Amino acid sequence: MTSPNSYNTKVVLATSLAAVTGIGFYFFVNPIHANEAEEGLHPPAYPWSHKGPFSTFDHASIRRGYQVYREVCSACHSLDRIAWRNLVGVSHTADEVKAMAEEVEYTDGPNDEGENFQRPGKLSDYMPPPYPNEEAARASNAGALPPDLSLIVKARHGGADYLFSILTGYMEAPAGVEIREGLYYNPYFPGGAISMARALFDGLIEYEDGTPATTSQMAKDVTTFLAWAAEPEHDERKKMGVKAIIVISILTALSVWLKRARFASLKSRKIVYVFN
Amino acid sequence: MLYRFVGTIYRTLLRRNSVFLTGVFTTAFVTEIVFDTAADKAWDTINRGKQWKDIENKYVQN
């Protein structure tokens, strides 16, 4: 026969054991945990001008962002899936884009003699790549391949927030973190060591609309531009979506009302079986 | 009163199939035009100053 006291002691002991096991599992065994050095720091959520179901892109920002891409990023990063014509009516007029395309030489052909020739770019040409192929890109960048930026906002966890954080997140490596020669410390990059050096500095370029070209302004603009490049249908998609939801809601309400009207007589009818 | 109204509707719009069908198509067109115009206007108000058509006049040269 056990006394109440020893019973209580057992309960307390068992509970403590369970708690310690659980906490120990949580801290030392559980594989689900945030390893920010390994996975990269999670970017904060920024208030993008195109955030939310009713917001279009800020096209003035896309235009500035294209300038940042052209003057800074395009030295190493290609933009294969965007053609000159895609900019028309989005960030530039047709005349402006034609003039920009003509500044670039494209190989075309073959001509009547069967030879390829150089010609100035047209609206239908795609953005010129900085390197002829992947090997050339790697050779120029110490073995690292600068990714194509066409779909980069969709292709990276965190999207636009991540891009902005990467561009503005360069800093001194904290004590105890070793960074190899040729790599740079960026806490938002998985692993922390990124091959790309910090590219944006205050006053690096001069915006044509007079916006002060701070690091964060340029990062915001180029991220907006790349968000557009990844999703050129964005504005139209949101507008059509809102319209469709409004129309479908009205039609759903109408059909519910019609069903209730039709069923009113059936549901209020009383059927009685009289047995004689 | 309601019955007179319903009766008028029936005689003018629903009795002849040709009139009925024409009415269906006309209503569809008018509704779409009105809805689209209103929705586009609301959309442009929400996004004033952000879309290309709002900043286009800064760059067009004539």
Side-chain angles (χ1 to χ4, degrees), chain A residues 37 76 140-142 144 166-167 169-174 177-199 201:
Chain A
C76 300
S140 308
N141 290 286
I166 277 283
L167 291 171
Y170 286 92
M171 59 173 73
E172 290 284 312
V177 175
E178 287 283 323
I179 298 293
R180 271 200 297 127
E181 183 71 26
L183 295 182
Y184 305 87
Y185 181 72
N186 193 323
Y188 295 99
F189 191 72
I194 187 168
S195 301
M196 183 176 92
R198 177 178 168 178
F201 297 91

Side-chain angles (χ1 to χ4, degrees), chain B residues 35-51:
Chain B
F35 176 77
D36 270 355
T37 313
D40 286 348
K41 202 164 180 182
W43 185 259
D44 292 344
T45 312
I46 294 171
N47 293 292
R48 183 175 292 146
K50 287 166 72 186
Q51 298 182 90

Side-chain angles (χ1 to χ4, degrees), chain A residues 24-83:
Chain A
F25 175 81
Y26 185 79
F27 278 110
F28 298 108
V29 186
N30 182 8
I32 303 168
H33 59 275
N35 185 345
E36 285 170 349
E38 194 71 30
E39 313 287 340
L41 206 57
H42 281 190
Y46 289 105
W48 295 101
S49 51
H50 54 273
K51 206 171 190 168
F54 305 113
S55 300
T56 66
F57 281 126
D58 180 358
H59 286 241
S61 186
I62 296 180
R63 189 183 170 99
R64 289 193 298 270
Y66 171 74
Q67 192 185 345
V68 178
Y69 168 74
R70 179 55 57 212
E71 294 185 20
V72 184
C73 315
S74 67
C76 300
H77 289 280
S78 55
L79 194 65
D80 286 344
R81 289 167 187 273
I82 297 296

Side-chain angles (χ1 to χ4, degrees), chain A residues 208-223:
Chain A
E208 55 177 1
D209 61 359
T211 309
T214 60
T215 302
S216 53
Q217 178 72 42
M218 288 187 284
K220 175 250 180 187
D221 287 338
V222 80
T223 305

